[in-house]
Amino acid sequence: MTDIFDAATGTLMAAFKNLKRVPSAVYKSYGDQVMILNFKGNKLEDGKNFRRFPILHTLVLDDNGLSTLEMLPSLPKVHTLWLNNNEFSDLPELVTQLAVKFPSLKELSLIRNPACPGFASFTKNEERENRKYRLYTIAHLPNLITLDCSPVTKAERVAAIKAENERRRGVVDHRLTEEASSQITAASAPARGAKVYEKGKKTPLTVVEKKYYRSGETGPSEGNRFIGNSDL
């Protein structure tokens, strides 16, 4: 495996290598230096070797075909996690795993996952479902400051706590109430205006997706903001 390590930033590029796990040669060479690990575009099956990076704080796992985080160990120092373009569909299960395995999580991106409805279409219903999704995620991950490239607002946090309290009393199910979701201001959710199309991509892109769009059908990869173009 040919890897790219930038000692100045502590960034290790291990993207698009068809890897099922981090090779021992990689963590033996760079383990105690890596702060940012880009593992995008692989086929992760075993994540135990991520523990070999003791100062890791940013982990990019976009495009790995993931539907669960069961294979990952607890990574208490990681505060930034990108899981874009995977197969996560069970939101309650996912946020439970995130809360347990990433207790310091502050920045999370789940764009282009089935559990993230806000980037699937442009109907009023999808807008409503995206708000419910954000409230539920924020309620269970109280340290989040950014979700899907959009800052977590004070209004969202208040609404999330209210909706979660109602859910626990049996007032509503996990999808949350209309009243709570309506408390989110237009500015608190990702912009969703014009239907902008990229060449070779059939699905309309949101403003957020266009900003972070990087390559073909794989959609946006926030992780790439940590790596220079020459490394891609």
Side-chain angles (χ1 to χ4, degrees):
M1 170 186 155
T2 301
D3 43 74
I4 302 174
F5 179 66
D6 182 352
T9 62
T11 299
L12 176 66
M13 277 289 296
F16 301 107
K17 306 296 184 183
N18 203 34
L19 298 172
K20 296 181 178 180
R21 62 186 59 82
V22 177
S24 59
V26 173
Y27 64 73
K28 287 179 180 178
S29 297
Y30 309 113
D32 60 351
Q33 305 174 66
V34 175
M35 293 184 287
I36 300 168
L37 174 56
N38 188 328
F39 205 76
K40 176 184 177 181
N42 288 299
K43 298 180 179 180
L44 182 65
E45 294 181 358
D46 182 355
K48 65 183 180 182
N49 287 342
F50 290 132
R51 290 181 297 189
R52 304 285 186 168
F53 302 96
I55 61 174
L56 182 69
H57 62 64
T58 296
L59 180 59
V60 180
L61 295 177
D62 298 353
D63 304 303
N64 268 270
L66 301 175
S67 60
T68 180
L69 298 179
E70 289 181 355
M71 81 292 292
L72 295 183
S74 176
L75 297 169
K77 292 185 179 180
V78 171
H79 58 64
T80 301
L81 178 65
W82 306 120
L83 296 171
N84 302 313
N85 306 305
N86 280 293
E87 303 297 329
F88 296 105
S89 60
D90 189 328
L91 185 60
E93 176 184 281
L94 176 58
V95 296
T96 297
Q97 291 175 335
L98 288 169
V100 171
K101 296 175 182 289
F102 299 92
S104 300
L105 194 61
K106 294 182 178 179
E107 297 189 59
L108 172 66
S109 188
L110 296 171
I111 295 171
R112 294 274 178 185
N113 277 280
C116 178
F119 297 90
S121 72
F122 295 85
T123 66
K124 290 290 186 180
N125 184 61
E126 282 295 324
E127 178 72 15
R128 187 164 52 248
E129 290 302 308
N130 182 60
R131 291 178 178 180
K132 293 179 182 180
Y133 146 79
R134 284 183 65 85
L135 287 180
Y136 186 80
T137 305
I138 292 165
H140 289 79
L141 300 172
N143 295 323
L144 279 187
I145 59 175
T146 301
L147 176 60
D148 298 335
C149 313
S150 178
V152 174
T153 68
K154 182 178 179 179
E156 283 183 301
R157 201 171 299 283
V158 170
I161 293 172
K162 177 180 178 180
E164 180 59 16
N165 288 338
E166 290 181 352
R167 186 189 71 83
R168 291 180 178 180
R169 292 198 306 268
V171 176
V172 292
D173 66 13
H174 78 272
R175 296 168 75 85
L176 310 180
T177 64
E178 289 295 317
E179 179 184 358
S181 65
S182 67
Q183 294 181 32
I184 303 176
T185 63
S188 69
R192 300 174 48 79
K195 295 184 178 181
V196 183
Y197 292 83
E198 286 288 341
K199 181 178 180 181
K201 190 174 182 68
K202 298 180 180 179
T203 306
L205 298 178
T206 64
V207 174
V208 170
E209 287 186 300
K210 180 170 177 58
K211 181 178 179 181
Y212 293 102
Y213 189 87
R214 289 296 180 268
S215 58
E217 294 296 329
T218 61
S221 172
E222 248 304 85
N224 286 342
R225 72 187 179 97
F226 301 109
I227 298 105
N229 290 334
S230 61
D231 297 329
L232 299 177

